[in-house]
């Protein structure tokens, strides 16, 4: 049977290998993979640690300033896409001069919202105060 093994060196997974157990069990001493072999039963991989009994995933690093700003940009674009989808029919009705007064008032609120979203300073992420959507 072929299994996945982690190669452990100084408590850290340095490699993952697929190994036919029938070959490994014949004479494990003749095989040198640069560290101790431990059967992998989950998604353990390079960079994980092994304390002799269990694998420990590496810590997830905090996002960089650049990643935070990029997430804010994506969020802003999602807000704008949603708002544009909501206002699309009203804009057409306005252009054709067939919009009701009620829908025109709602369109104005949404356009003010879109303007406020566009004005958000993405450089202030993650401390951004996003405008509230119109009701």
């Amino acid at each position: 049977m072929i299994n996945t093994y982690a190669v452990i060196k100084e408590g850290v997974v340095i490699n993952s290998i697929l190994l036919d157990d029938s070959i490994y069990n014949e004479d494990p001493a003749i095989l040198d993979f640069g560290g101790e072999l431990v059967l992998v039963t989950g998604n353990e991989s390079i960079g994980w640690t092994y304390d002799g009994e269990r694998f420990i995933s590496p810590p997830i690093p905090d996002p960089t300033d650049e990643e935070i700003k990029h997430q804010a940009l994506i969020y802003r674009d999602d807000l704008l896409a949603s708002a544009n989808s909501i206002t699309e029919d009203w804009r057409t009705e306005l252009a054709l001069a067939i919009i009701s007064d009620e829908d025109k008032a709602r369109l104005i609120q949404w356009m003010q919202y879109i303007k406020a979203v566009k004005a958000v300073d993405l450089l202030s992420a993650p401390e951004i105060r996003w405008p509230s959507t119109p009701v």
Side-chain angles (χ1 to χ4, degrees):
M1 172 183 240
I2 297 179
N3 283 305
T4 303
Y5 287 87
V7 180
I8 311 294
K9 186 171 185 177
E10 298 176 5
V12 178
V13 178
I14 61 167
N15 204 353
S16 296
I17 62 169
L18 293 174
L19 185 61
D20 186 330
D21 288 340
S22 62
I23 295 172
Y24 179 63
N25 290 332
E26 285 180 16
D27 189 1
I30 65 169
L31 302 173
D32 181 12
F33 295 101
E36 172 190 4
L37 294 185
V38 177
L39 181 65
V40 171
T41 57
N43 62 345
E44 301 86 3
S45 61
I46 295 172
W48 286 53
T49 56
Y50 184 70
D51 66 6
E53 295 180 13
R54 64 186 174 94
F55 289 97
I56 302 161
S57 65
I60 298 172
D62 290 334
T64 64
D65 288 344
E66 189 65 32
E67 290 169 331
I68 291 170
K69 290 172 190 161
H70 184 71
Q71 290 168 354
L73 174 66
I74 290 170
Y75 185 70
R76 184 198 65 187
D77 289 348
D78 287 346
L79 292 177
L80 291 173
S82 177
N84 283 320
S85 176
I86 290 168
T87 60
E88 183 177 18
D89 288 343
W90 294 330
R91 292 178 194 201
T92 302
E93 291 173 5
L94 180 66
L96 296 172
I98 60 171
I99 193 168
S100 70
D101 289 340
E102 181 182 311
D103 285 346
K104 185 175 181 180
R106 292 172 68 194
L107 175 59
I108 290 170
Q109 288 177 336
W110 276 97
M111 294 308 295
Q112 290 169 337
Y113 168 76
I114 289 170
K115 188 175 182 180
V117 169
K118 287 181 177 179
V120 166
D121 178 15
L122 297 179
L123 297 178
S124 65
E127 304 300 323
I128 295 174
R129 293 205 49 194
W130 295 100
S132 299
T133 56
V135 188

